[in-house]
Amino acid sequence: MGMRRVVRRRLLWSGAGAIAVWLLVLGFRGGWDVADPVASVVGALAAVTGLVYALVAPLDAEQLAERLAGEVVRLEQDEYVRWLDGRAGARIDLAYSVRVHGQVEGAPAEGRLSELAALHARLSPPRLVITGAGATDDAGTGKSLAALAMVLDLARDRQSGQPVPLRLAATSWTGRDLEDWLAGHVATVFGVGRGPARQLVEARLVLPVVDGLDELDPPGTAAYSSRAAGLLRLLDDWRHGTQPAGVVVTCRRGVYDRLVEVEAHLRAAAVVRLAPVGVEQSGAFLRASVADTEAGLRRWRPVLDALAGSAQGPGAEARRRLREVLGTPWRLSLVTAVYQERTADGGYRRDPADLLPLAAAGTLHRHLLDLFVPAALAARGDGSVAPDGPARSRLAALASYLDANREGRRAEGRTLSSTDLVLPDLWPMVGARRTKRAIRWACLGWAATATLAVVVGAALTSWDLLAFAFFPLFGLMFAFEPDLWEGEERFVLRPRRLVLGGVLGAGPFVLLGLFLPTSGGPAGWMAGAVAFGLLAGSVTGTAIAPDERRDGPRSVVRADAVTWVLFLGVLAAFFGLLGYAGAGPRGLLMALGVLLAFGPIVFQTLSFRYVVFLVLARGVLPWRLGRFLHACHRAGILRTAGAAYQFRHQELQDHLAGRPIG
């Protein structure tokens, strides 16, 4: 979205520059219309002015919003099906009750999950908080799934002028201004330019759907001074003209109730409390997802009968515990994932009848969590991660790292997330001191090796090369205090923009070479044209913030590494070709000097820090960690939130980390 518009604008910009250069060349060569020079100048200026006006013409915000809505549907529908383990038709239509804070119109007393999008559309102001029903523990009640479903419904049925719903993880908020946060999310996740993204936000054509407010603070944090309260204050001040703008928030009920007690909640909002999954809904889910054939119904008949059985008589305790375990959408998905796993010849590995004795013994929940990872990898993995391999231990290491951050652990002045796995920001797992030491030794090694290479080269060829011996020392300035959080504005390379910018950037230089004599002759001006083409291509083809639509969070590191390698190559080629255009073959030595001088910049990039982390974490995590996490995401073990991977559910993360599960 927005790509064609940006390319068109840059094409017009390059065209205006080419026309200006062409007119200049014609003027030097006497090609102006001498019969009427005034008309020639006025016409030329009018053409250039028209192109420039096309560049600066305001964008159509409504058209941008329409395209963004389409991108939201395309991106989120895949995530929605993945959260339901590929069973989108088995969505549980939970009941909910509504409680109103402040003056809100259009809020009913109760409703169903399928009506949530319609409820939001009726509310005035359109502000919604989604919690569970339990005051003490409402984990797994479907808050995030409800928000995701509502995002899809609102984006799919969006009418002109309505905001586009955007799902954001609360943990991605770093304390910055709300508009900056929203614009950055639009630019990062959907590949929209910073300007159009800001325009959408300022026009209030985006609806922030903030998921997981309860995950912002460690347990025991004072409610009024918590980060959750700070984010709610920003959302409360989010306005469209004189009216409060639309907002949706998900949060555990206990956390939100404490915020209400200290009056740090969202004012003028409807609070939706999702009810637990009823016995009839559990049975309906199983019949729709795994017992929809005669064979499936035979396998799952003991479980369905137990769910529908009496609360009295023999086996009543086992039936009660079974209903309790299957009382949330998350645990129902656990059961179907584990007990639908098949062997290589198509048979089922487990019999659903075993659920009853496990429930009676009180071990069913832990049993399901123990088997979920291998079952999910076997059923929905891409084959790159073996279900019976070290996948569980690797996930356990990552879960333990996140669990250690739960109490607000800090590294290099920043509070670490207890839910987000961002690839270039995992270095605290091996320690800041070890990471800095590795970067320092890499810088020193580069300086020593490059200096030795220059001296040896000078001795074997020409001592003139010795002038470049001091260039590698430039790397020493990066060796002492590397900033491990540096480089948060990540760069990516857009191939089409690079090619387009390169061709158009070389155009004016080619015209100059054709019509004006140059000191280097044809070879000189061609070298200059290639050099300027490379430089223009690298400028137009490089953008801030990754386009994560194609490859998810792992593209952050990959795109950064490719961009920096190509940037250094283009820079070296530019100076080398430029030197060749002016001084012949000896000018190629400039390329070597540039590489030696700017090479150490790589040691400060997030992709290099990520490589250092992988080296230090060798034996605990796989070398191809991004591929591993991507496979776990496709299997439904992880989910994505912007540039981060997260465990599918907090219960799964706690279990893998060794934390007791209720």
Side-chain angles (χ1 to χ4, degrees):
M1 202 214 88
M3 176 72 75
R4 294 179 182 175
R5 179 78 184 198
V6 173
V7 171
R8 185 164 60 249
R9 287 163 62 87
R10 287 185 172 167
L11 177 61
L12 291 171
W13 177 260
S14 300
I19 290 175
V21 172
W22 181 267
L23 294 174
L24 183 64
V25 170
L26 289 178
F28 282 137
R29 296 181 61 86
W32 290 96
D33 185 357
V34 294
D36 194 354
V38 176
S40 298
V41 173
V42 172
L45 291 177
V48 175
T49 303
L51 288 173
V52 173
Y53 176 76
L55 288 173
V56 300
L59 296 174
D60 186 346
E62 175 55 36
Q63 188 177 27
L64 285 172
E66 182 181 354
R67 295 179 181 177
L68 178 61
E71 285 294 309
V72 169
V73 172
R74 190 192 64 79
L75 182 68
E76 297 289 37
Q77 67 186 1
D78 293 337
E79 196 73 6
Y80 178 73
V81 173
R82 188 174 288 112
W83 284 19
L84 292 178
D85 297 313
R87 303 182 183 93
R91 174 179 173 181
I92 302 175
D93 197 14
L94 295 174
Y96 63 75
S97 60
V98 181
R99 180 180 179 182
V100 174
H101 289 154
Q103 294 183 343
V104 180
E105 298 178 0
E110 58 186 19
R112 288 283 178 180
L113 196 59
S114 57
E115 306 166 355
L116 202 56
L119 166 63
H120 181 269
R122 290 197 306 268
L123 290 177
S124 179
R127 296 187 164 200
L128 204 62
V129 179
I130 303 175
T131 72
T136 56
D137 184 18
D138 57 353
T141 52
K143 300 181 294 297
S144 297
L145 184 60
L148 178 57
M150 188 178 70
V151 165
L152 275 172
D153 291 341
L154 290 174
R156 183 196 60 210
D157 301 330
R158 176 187 177 272
Q159 301 297 319
S160 178
Q162 292 180 342
V164 181
L166 299 176
R167 185 173 59 93
L168 304 96
T171 51
S172 66
W173 179 63
T174 58
R176 55 180 170 167
D177 178 75
L178 184 60
E179 289 194 356
D180 290 341
W181 183 38
L182 295 176
H185 179 82
V186 174
T188 298
V189 178
F190 298 99
V192 180
R194 292 281 175 169
R198 172 67 68 172
Q199 183 179 359
L200 286 169
V201 173
E202 291 177 349
R204 297 302 186 261
L205 285 176
V206 296
L207 169 68
V209 181
V210 182
D211 186 23
L213 186 71
D214 52 279
E215 298 171 350
L216 269 175
D217 301 286
T221 303
Y224 187 78
S225 58
S226 64
R227 294 182 65 214
L231 180 54
L232 282 180
R233 292 186 188 100
L234 286 180
L235 293 172
D236 200 41
D237 293 335
W238 176 247
R239 310 188 74 79
H240 189 188
T242 60
Q243 300 298 318
V247 168
V248 178
V249 176
T250 73
C251 184
R252 293 195 183 192
R253 181 181 169 184
V255 174
Y256 196 76
D257 285 348
R258 287 193 291 273
L259 291 167
V260 173
E261 289 175 2
V262 298
E263 298 183 343
H265 59 292
L266 193 65
R267 310 300 176 113
V271 180
V272 169
R273 293 178 176 175
L274 299 179
V277 178
V279 173
E280 293 182 359
Q281 290 177 315
S282 297
F285 173 83
L286 293 176
R287 283 191 293 270
S289 59
V290 294
D292 54 342
T293 64
E294 291 186 6
L297 188 60
R298 284 195 301 269
R299 289 188 68 240
W300 288 89
R301 175 60 66 186
V303 178
L304 294 172
D305 290 344
L307 290 174
S310 172
Q312 306 296 327
E317 181 63 18
R319 292 193 292 271
R320 183 191 68 79
R321 291 186 176 182
L322 179 65
R323 294 167 184 165
E324 181 181 342
V325 172
L326 302 186
T328 68
W330 155 244
R331 294 178 183 177
L332 277 170
S333 67
L334 274 181
V335 168
T336 56
V338 171
Y339 278 82
Q340 288 297 103
E341 183 184 358
R342 293 175 178 257
T343 60
D345 57 2
Y348 290 99
R349 289 189 179 276
R350 303 171 187 90
D351 186 355
D354 296 336
L355 292 171
L356 284 170
L358 288 169
T363 59
L364 177 56
H365 190 195
R366 181 169 292 276
H367 165 76
L368 295 174
L369 290 170
D370 281 337
L371 296 176
F372 175 66
V373 170
L377 287 173
R380 302 181 60 202
D382 58 5
S384 61
V385 179
D388 55 353
R392 192 183 187 282
S393 63
R394 292 167 173 174
L395 290 170
L398 293 168
S400 298
Y401 161 70
L402 294 176
D403 187 65
N405 299 338
R406 181 170 294 187
E407 301 299 328
R409 187 161 68 106
R410 297 175 65 83
E412 297 293 296
R414 180 174 299 186
T415 302
L416 301 177
S417 174
S418 62
T419 59
D420 294 354
L421 296 171
V422 182
L423 293 180
D425 294 342
L426 288 176
W427 54 264
M429 191 173 176
V430 296
R433 181 176 299 179
R434 293 181 64 195
T435 306
K436 286 185 175 182
R437 185 185 302 123
I439 294 175
R440 186 176 298 121
W441 279 108
C443 291
L444 293 174
W446 169 271
T449 303
T451 302
L452 181 62
V454 171
V455 172
V456 172
L460 295 178
T461 57
S462 170
W463 284 104
D464 293 343
L465 191 63
L466 196 61
F468 294 99
F470 73 93
F471 275 58
L473 301 179
F474 182 72
L476 296 178
M477 65 180 294
F478 297 98
F480 298 102
E481 284 299 328
D483 184 358
L484 298 182
W485 293 117
E486 188 181 357
E488 289 191 336
E489 286 195 329
R490 295 149 185 166
F491 293 88
V492 292
L493 211 61
R494 308 286 172 82
R496 286 183 293 180
R497 297 186 188 184
L498 185 145
V499 174
L500 180 63
V503 172
L504 296 177
F509 207 97
V510 171
L511 293 176
L512 288 174
L514 290 174
F515 292 98
L516 295 177
T518 57
S519 59
W525 65 258
M526 283 300 296
V530 173
F532 278 102
L534 288 171
L535 186 63
S538 65
V539 172
T540 59
T542 304
I544 295 177
D547 183 353
E548 298 165 359
R549 293 175 294 173
R550 296 183 181 86
D551 212 12
R554 64 175 179 166
S555 66
V556 173
V557 173
R558 179 181 301 173
D560 180 81
V562 171
T563 299
W564 278 107
V565 170
L566 291 180
F567 169 75
L568 291 175
V570 166
L571 202 62
F574 171 72
F575 282 107
L577 291 170
L578 203 61
Y580 177 80
R586 291 182 59 83
L588 294 175
L589 296 178
M590 295 183 62
L592 177 61
V594 169
L595 281 177
L596 296 178
F598 289 94
I601 295 178
V602 175
F603 300 136
Q604 289 297 293
T605 62
L606 61 88
S607 49
F608 183 77
R609 293 197 300 275
Y610 176 62
V611 172
V612 168
F613 161 73
L614 291 179
V615 171
L616 297 178
R618 192 68 175 157
V620 178
L621 297 175
W623 176 251
R624 303 190 67 177
L625 179 59
R627 179 184 177 186
F628 171 75
L629 295 179
H630 182 68
C632 291
H633 173 239
R634 293 191 60 181
I637 300 169
L638 302 175
R639 63 184 184 183
T640 60
Y645 288 107
Q646 296 178 340
F647 280 94
R648 167 88 170 271
H649 197 274
Q650 188 66 45
E651 280 188 352
L652 178 60
Q653 178 181 318
D654 291 345
H655 178 71
L656 291 171
R659 182 178 285 268
I661 303 294

